[in-house]
Amino acid sequence: MTKEEEVVFYAKILDEKGLVNSLEGNISILDRETGKLYITPSGKRKSLLTPEMIAVMDGDTQIGGNCKYSSEYLLHQAALRARPDCNAAVHTHAPYLTAFAFCNQHVRLRCSTTFGLLFEDIPCLPYGQPGTAAIAAGIEDAMANRDLVLLANHGCLTVGPTLEAAVAILEAGEEVMKIYSLAKSIGAVSDIPEEAWERMCNEHAGSVRNRHKPVNR
């Protein structure tokens, strides 16, 4: 599968799940060897994308693809500069995560084992104008040891070593926030006891604390 085909494949998965639409959301793969960024085009319905439509960026210059690049390529570039261990980025306006971004709220749940192992917390970056470098302000610190961040009044961003990993993180984060919202409508949400929480985060091999241990920043 070429990088263009991979971008199309996952863009269509996100479209089917209602996490992107024709005007919102973009995904990318960075080729670390060549420095080229493969990103979904601007204003195109994701379910109708073809490999030829995927924009190929060399820095700020489009060198491939028959459709104009997404204006959010600067956000993708900044995120992948911040995370040299990652080669893919996914930016969406996933409803439940974006609701917290609209409220400019960091997410800190203690009721979900999935949330604890994958995130522990999800920071919210200050508002930055879309399509400009300002939208990525603070991203290096926020994403140093986190794979998902919120963008105030805008949406969310995930990174991963592969597009599969970045999409999976997004799906898991959105699902947890959906369930949390439903749980609050039922009654008071019960947290995991602090001692058990700390033991899980410290001892589980897949926890965010342990996943990022080998990475020197």
Side-chain angles (χ1 to χ4, degrees), residues 133-181:
I135 198 172
I139 205 167
E140 290 194 16
D141 289 339
M143 298 205 89
N145 293 301
R146 293 293 181 271
D147 300 324
L148 169 60
V149 298
L150 303 181
L151 308 170
N153 301 99
H154 189 76
C156 56
L157 176 71
T158 66
V159 294
T162 63
L163 257 183
E164 168 62 29
V167 168
I169 286 288
L170 170 67
E171 291 172 322
E174 178 71 355
E175 187 69 12
V176 168
M177 298 315 299
K178 178 180 180 180
I179 295 170
Y180 174 67
S181 298

